[in-house]
Amino acid sequence: MQEKKILVTGANGQIGKVLTEELRKVYGIYNVLATDIQRNLDDPCYEFLDVLNQYRMKEIISDYQISEVYHLAALLSASGEYNPVKTWNINLNGWISILELAKELKLEKVFFPSTIAVFGKTTPRDFTPQHVPLQPETIYGVSKATGEMLCHYYHQKYGIDVRSLRYPGIISYQSIPVGGTTDYAVEIFYAAKKNEVYKCFLEKDTRLPMMYINDAIRATIELMQAPSESIKCRMGYNLAAISFTPEEIYEEIRTHYPDFKIIYEPDFRQKIASSWTEVIDDQEARKDWGWQHAFDLKAMVNDMLENIAI
Ligand code: AKB
């Protein structure tokens, strides 16, 4: 039997970096090829890859005999608004190239990261069900909702084993995320550690679904390892862990740093956050492939403060 050979695009990003490391623990360093648009001479299994270069992507998949692709290259909700065409190209054209190559080169499985940004004002905000109208308000959300539809299309039309998760905001210490609306929930830790006043770009009571990086990575690997017949949803699975407001995470951090201060100066990202949901119902993920989160707000804040390096 051929060994599993994995390709990760966007491997230098917030999720890509940690996912690549974890996949390498499971499958071995040389079975997980990291790719991104910066050179990385320190990584022994790394290729420069612009996901818009379909020719090069095909060459890499063939040369390395790739069997699984995790397509993490993307522009996020806030940065995407500055360049809608580029966001569409990277998030969607990169993805359709992978789906086409999955068909042509008979890849075993492909993973598409979706997001809570696929939701919009037509979506119930509390306990958002799996199957709801998707009418996103950002180009990022539009590209991800369309990407999910492609997941479903390529699965039912060509039998591609495509799997996808709707990630909430991800909190991690391994890298500083850029361009997202949920990034405040990472920035706030750096401010607390540096003893600085944190200027929050969302209102204090903006509740959003969030998740600690350890849970997000485990969810991704568990989804991809689940038997194909247990994957009943070929669009993005709702995936939940915790939901909190800026004020709630601030108060939790203040149990460690009682003098820490926050001020609220909402900017254009408030409008984006207000169009998303507050709490997600992820019972289908829990039922179909056994998803369970491990980190609540307290555990996540403890772990962040222990690990974050400034
Ligand atoms: C963003 O804020 O754009 C992302 C997301 C929720 O997908 N973190």
Side-chain angles (χ1 to χ4, degrees):
M1 201 180 74
Q2 199 204 328
E3 257 183 343
K4 196 184 284 295
K5 290 269 188 187
I6 294 174
L7 167 71
V8 180
T9 73
N12 294 343
Q14 188 195 15
I15 299 177
K17 199 169 171 203
V18 191
L19 181 64
T20 301
E21 255 176 52
E22 284 306 308
L23 287 170
R24 284 177 173 173
K25 284 184 199 155
V26 181
Y27 300 109
I29 295 187
Y30 292 97
N31 291 325
V32 183
L33 177 68
T35 66
D36 209 310
I37 49 166
Q38 287 117 31
R39 309 258 164 219
N40 185 348
L41 299 175
D42 299 331
D43 187 328
C45 193
Y46 186 94
E47 287 279 354
F48 175 94
L49 175 64
D50 176 350
V51 294
L52 297 179
N53 186 343
Q54 196 186 3
Y55 176 77
R56 182 66 188 133
M57 198 187 295
K58 181 172 178 181
E59 209 168 57
I60 287 179
I61 291 178
S62 306
D63 288 356
Y64 284 84
Q65 297 184 303
I66 296 295
S67 53
E68 259 179 44
V69 178
Y70 293 68
H71 177 52
L72 296 176
L75 286 189
L76 300 185
S77 57
S79 50
E81 292 307 285
Y82 291 104
N83 202 334
V85 176
K86 187 171 172 195
T87 306
W88 178 266
N89 284 339
I90 292 176
N91 295 8
L92 209 75
N93 290 342
W95 177 228
I96 202 165
S97 299
I98 289 168
L99 288 168
E100 277 296 304
L101 290 171
K103 178 165 58 122
E104 186 185 335
L105 302 176
K106 306 203 175 352
L107 299 185
E108 256 169 49
K109 277 178 218 168
V110 283
F111 175 75
F112 180 70
S114 190
T115 160
I116 52 167
V118 296
F119 301 130
K121 297 239 173 77
T122 51
T123 308
R125 300 196 72 212
D126 194 20
F127 224 54
T128 313
Q130 175 71 47
H131 302 285
V132 286
L134 301 180
Q135 204 171 297
E137 308 239 323
T138 58
I139 188 67
Y140 170 63
V142 170
S143 68
K144 291 294 183 177
T146 314
E148 281 196 28
M149 286 170 203
L150 289 177
C151 293
H152 177 73
Y153 176 79
Y154 273 77
H155 175 71
Q156 52 89 25
K157 175 109 181 168
Y158 302 112
I160 309 290
D161 189 349
V162 54
R163 305 175 183 203
S164 174
L165 294 172
R166 290 176 181 156
Y167 289 122
I170 304 298
I171 294 130
S172 66
Y173 57 84
Q174 292 87 342
S175 59
I176 302 175
V178 271
T181 301
T182 56
D183 294 357
Y184 89 84
V186 178
E187 291 173 2
I188 193 169
F189 286 97
Y190 286 90
K193 275 253 166 168
K194 289 190 205 150
N195 207 12
E196 289 171 353
V197 175
Y198 181 59
K199 198 175 4 149
C200 183
F201 57 77
L202 297 184
E203 311 259 20
K204 57 159 65 174
D205 55 356
T206 310
R207 183 172 304 284
L208 287 173
M210 299 278 188
M211 178 174 283
Y212 196 41
I213 187 76
N214 298 32
D215 276 340
I217 299 303
R218 191 169 47 78
T220 311
I221 295 177
E222 283 177 9
L223 172 78
M224 289 298 273
Q225 286 181 338
S228 185
E229 54 289 0
S230 61
I231 308 298
K232 307 275 190 275
C233 168
R234 295 293 176 164
M235 299 219 359
Y237 269 102
N238 277 7
L239 186 73
I242 30 181
S243 283
F244 57 78
T245 65
E247 190 71 4
E248 285 166 357
I249 188 173
Y250 164 68
E251 286 301 342
E252 189 54 45
I253 294 173
R254 235 162 55 87
T255 62
H256 300 259
Y257 293 90
D259 296 331
F260 181 40
K261 299 262 178 313
I262 190 167
I263 52 173
Y264 292 97
E265 286 186 13
D267 65 16
F268 74 101
R269 288 169 278 193
Q270 179 60 47
K271 188 164 173 268
I272 297 176
S274 303
S275 73
W276 293 349
T277 64
E278 295 192 334
V279 181
I280 292 180
D281 174 0
D282 65 349
Q283 61 175 288
E284 297 209 9
R286 290 176 192 261
K287 178 167 52 71
D288 291 357
W289 46 277
W291 165 240
Q292 277 185 323
H293 71 279
F295 283 80
D296 61 11
L297 179 60
K298 197 171 198 49
M300 182 271 284
V301 168
N302 282 341
D303 212 63
M304 276 295 282
L305 290 173
E306 225 174 276
N307 285 296
I308 203 164
I310 53 161

